[in-house]
Amino acid sequence: MNAETSDLIAQRIEKVNALRQKGINPYPVRFARTALAKEIKDTFVDGEERVVAIGGRIRTRRLMGKASFANIEDLSGSIQIYAKRDDLGEEAYERYTGLDLGDIIGVEGKTFRTKTGEISVHVTSCALLAKCINPLPVVKEKDGVLFDEFADKELRYRQRYVDLIVTPKSRQDFILRSRIIAGIRSYLAERGFLEVETPMMQAIPGGAAARPFITHHNALDIDLYLRIAPELYLKRLIVGGFEKVFELNRNFRNEGISTKHNPEFTMMELYQAYADYHDMMAITEGMISTLAQDLLGTMRIDYQGSTVDLTPPWERITFVNIIKKYTGIDFETITTVEAARAAAESVGLHPDTDLSIWKIANEIFEERVEDKLIQPVFVMDYPKELSPLAKSREDNSALVERFEPYIVGREIGNAFSELNDPFDQRARFEEQVRLREAGDDEAQMMDTDYINALEYGMPPAGGLGIGIDRLVMLFVNTASIKDTILFPLLRPE
RNA sequence: GAGCCGCUAGCUCAGUCGGUAGAGCAACUGCCUUUUAAGCAGUGGGUCGGGAGUUCAAUUCUCCCGCGGCUCACCA
């Protein structure tokens, strides 16, 4: 903190001290509100004076000598207040004009409409409820347009509390996030899903290909991993007879930070017994389109220059066919690595030499197809070797019943008909272990207890995971995941 | 992890072809009893992200470091 800052702060601390000397607590215990800003404006009737007590933060002020206006803001909105020296008396008015932008105050007064038409509160008494010592960024607004918007992204992320005070869009976006999550919960609850909580600290981190965070339990003296996915525990619950379960909580992956990645992110995973991946598609498109309709009032939403139509049904196309559609390459007819490599070369890609046919196909998909998938689409039937927990297709053992929903060029989820054959699952794990031993540190670990669970019999089931932060990105139209996470991970200052 | 860009007053930003910096808002002092990005007049406030180098002189040029943004890579 430099001299200038401390000047501004010192002035305010001085005001606090002066108040305390007069026996006034600048942080009193309580203030009873009887009204909210928005509700006052919504219910105002001309000619009917209403006595109200409102609390909020001073966001603007216009002092004009012996009278003054200010706007105070509560969560519902902002309302103008009007104070006159003649009403308050000299001492109280002086205390009133000594308030600062950012102070939280409680005001009692009478509603009225000014001669320029603004519904306001004529102050009869005013109490400081919490002094704001640190100067806020000064953001002004006219007709919904912000001036000198709080623009320093680092500060907005580090001091989200300041961002929330001064950036209405930020406030709205996080409220929308909360409503999306609440909407998912009620959508699933209405359909009989049971919300459960499974371990975040796991001895074997399974269910995804990712590097985990490691922590240590002192009493047991064992390392534990923060979960990278809840999948294997949720499926144990399907074994246990819970036929519809979901978990909506954090996963942790020890990987890079980007506009699309935060080390802890929120995932919704659900599993449904006696369902398959077609049922998961119906849930995905039904849930997301319903959320859009309920929360945004439309299924057509604008995102970063594109308009996306979420109206079901979404397009369904296989992995092989969508590659063919966008590149002309037909993996149904490719039977050798050489041919696959030649195909990749034909679209300007140079895959690593040790890749299999299907890994080359995946590279072509990711490099040449993915970012073109603006409208919602279910890409179905992925290669088995990329999907160690999904059930094989009966008509093609190289493929599995898996899909990923794509919107605006981004994978927003992952789903399959769950592999419930313990023999096959064991073989898949063994293959993963082999890859891990060959140096693939994202390959999965053997989980013998999970195999043990499957050996008790898991009914056929569909499973679905949706990345909530990315879904929220779509709904709030932001290019950065940090705008959807209240406190994104940043390097400590 | 790599590349590019940024970091100047509390905030938003100018600027210095190298001679230690400005505006608006905020703050402070006046004036102003229906204003609303209030207005008018005046005042104060900066080790120009940190360090080193070159130079008579560095906020400006060079290098290193820090933090952030964006893009790429990995992934959800």
Side-chain angles (χ1 to χ4, degrees):
Chain A
M1 182 184 306
N2 59 38
E4 154 66 8
T5 311
S6 61
D7 272 3
L8 293 175
I9 293 172
Q11 286 166 6
R12 294 186 179 201
I13 291 174
E14 197 40 55
K15 288 180 181 179
V16 167
N17 292 337
L19 286 172
R20 287 201 158 114
Q21 271 169 18
K22 283 188 212 159
I24 296 166
N25 181 0
Y27 301 96
V29 178
R30 60 180 60 82
F31 177 80
R33 294 197 290 183
T34 63
L36 297 174
K38 181 170 189 301
E39 171 246 331
I40 289 172
K41 292 200 261 194
D42 287 349
T43 60
F44 181 79
V45 179
D46 278 299
E48 282 182 22
E49 198 176 80
R50 176 182 168 203
V51 174
V52 293
I54 52 175
R57 191 184 293 276
I58 302 176
R59 291 303 314 284
T60 69
R61 48 201 318 244
R62 298 169 288 284
L63 270 61
M64 299 170 307
K66 297 175 189 67
S68 69
F69 291 91
N71 274 74
I72 70 172
E73 192 170 67
D74 60 30
L75 184 59
S76 76
S78 168
I79 190 162
Q80 179 169 267
I81 62 174
Y82 173 62
K84 278 200 299 189
R85 189 186 66 175
D86 293 352
D87 300 329
L88 295 179
E90 206 155 316
E91 194 191 329
Y93 187 70
E94 197 175 307
R95 226 182 304 128
Y96 174 83
T97 57
L99 294 169
D100 288 296
L101 289 177
D103 286 355
I104 294 168
I105 61 173
V107 164
E108 291 174 337
K110 293 168 285 192
T111 59
F112 75 111
R113 191 189 286 276
T114 66
K115 67 185 183 191
T116 55
E118 178 144 355
I119 295 162
S120 307
V121 174
H122 193 137
V123 178
T124 52
S125 75
C126 173
L128 178 61
L129 302 180
K131 185 68 187 173
C132 177
I133 299 301
N134 297 328
L136 285 175
V138 182
V139 180
K140 300 215 173 187
E141 176 265 325
K142 183 185 172 73
D143 301 331
V145 180
L146 296 184
F147 298 84
D148 296 335
E149 213 167 337
F150 189 34
D152 186 322
K153 289 197 176 186
E154 182 175 0
L155 277 180
R156 291 182 54 211
Y157 298 146
R158 284 193 196 282
Q159 302 188 47
R160 182 66 86 184
Y161 38 90
V162 176
D163 182 43
L164 291 171
I165 292 169
V166 303
T167 312
K169 164 85 166 117
S170 191
R171 218 157 41 220
Q172 289 156 13
D173 286 351
F174 286 109
I175 290 170
L176 181 56
R177 180 190 168 108
S178 178
R179 289 187 175 143
I180 288 168
I181 289 170
I184 291 171
R185 287 203 159 96
S186 66
Y187 187 89
L188 294 176
E190 283 164 16
R191 284 156 183 79
F193 281 86
L194 189 71
E195 183 169 7
V196 296
E197 294 166 274
T198 65
M200 296 236 180
M201 294 194 294
Q202 304 178 347
I204 300 169
R211 282 201 295 266
F213 286 92
I214 304 172
T215 186
H216 188 78
H217 189 275
N218 289 338
L220 296 181
D221 192 24
I222 52 168
D223 281 343
L224 291 170
Y225 301 91
L226 300 189
R227 75 174 180 201
I228 56 177
E231 173 157 354
L232 300 183
Y233 282 96
L234 290 170
K235 286 193 280 196
R236 283 171 169 98
L237 298 179
I238 298 294
V239 171
F242 286 167
E243 296 184 354
K244 291 179 170 183
V245 296
F246 76 101
E247 182 159 11
L248 204 174
N249 217 314
R250 228 67 66 80
N251 288 348
F252 308 85
R253 298 191 183 175
N254 204 341
E255 288 164 357
I257 297 172
S258 77
T259 48
K260 295 175 191 67
H261 302 85
N262 195 63
E264 53 179 311
F265 63 100
T266 301
M267 177 75 107
M268 190 287 300
E269 280 198 22
L270 68 81
Y271 294 85
Q272 180 176 355
Y274 308 103
D276 65 10
Y277 73 152
H278 294 288
D279 301 301
M280 298 300 106
M281 289 182 223
I283 289 178
T284 304
E285 64 191 3
M287 184 166 72
I288 292 177
S289 61
T290 298
L291 288 170
Q293 186 64 50
D294 289 354
L295 299 175
L296 304 175
T298 174
M299 290 189 186
R300 294 174 60 83
I301 65 181
D302 294 320
Y303 182 78
Q304 308 282 302
S306 304
T307 300
V308 177
D309 188 350
L310 299 172
T311 309
W314 297 355
E315 185 187 0
R316 286 147 165 84
I317 183 169
T318 65
F319 181 75
V320 165
N321 282 337
I322 203 159
I323 292 174
K324 186 157 63 178
K325 176 175 172 185
Y326 284 96
T327 68
I329 299 168
D330 185 358
F331 272 86
E332 263 176 39
T333 64
I334 291 177
T335 52
T336 64
V337 176
E338 291 68 33
R341 178 167 307 281
E345 300 277 351
S346 75
V347 291
L349 295 174
H350 308 286
D352 292 343
T353 49
D354 57 342
L355 292 190
S356 63
I357 293 175
W358 288 115
K359 288 223 162 118
I360 291 170
N362 195 47
E363 182 165 334
I364 293 170
F365 174 74
E366 287 177 355
E367 296 297 328
R368 293 292 180 263
V369 178
E370 234 178 53
D371 62 358
K372 298 185 177 67
L373 308 180
I374 303 303
Q375 297 304 319
V377 57
F378 293 119
V379 179
M380 304 162 59
D381 301 344
Y382 279 71
K384 178 157 98 179
E385 66 175 276
L386 303 175
S387 318
L389 301 168
K391 202 169 213 178
S392 299
R393 283 189 63 81
E394 287 171 315
D395 60 354
N396 185 342
S397 64
L399 301 178
V400 290
E401 291 202 356
R402 171 186 177 187
F403 73 85
E404 296 195 341
Y406 277 85
I407 305 177
V408 296
R410 260 197 314 261
E411 176 191 346
I412 59 152
N414 187 18
F416 8 103
S417 299
E418 300 298 336
L419 178 56
N420 65 341
D421 175 342
F423 302 96
D424 191 355
Q425 184 66 73
R426 183 186 295 278
R428 306 268 196 109
F429 273 143
E430 281 165 353
E431 171 64 7
Q432 290 290 308
V433 168
R434 197 185 60 75
L435 291 171
R436 172 167 281 270
E437 284 167 356
D440 182 349
D441 59 2
E442 291 192 346
Q444 301 196 25
M445 298 180 192
M446 174 63 73
D447 188 335
T448 52
D449 179 73
Y450 178 66
I451 300 288
N452 189 55
L454 291 186
E455 285 170 353
Y456 283 92
M458 181 173 86
L464 166 68
I466 296 204
I468 299 302
D469 313 279
R470 289 187 180 179
L471 184 65
V472 175
M473 284 173 73
L474 180 67
F475 275 58
V476 305
N477 189 11
T478 179
S480 174
I481 199 169
K482 290 189 173 72
D483 295 324
T484 72
I485 295 171
L486 281 165
F487 300 100
L489 184 65
L490 300 180
R491 198 181 287 275
E493 285 177 291

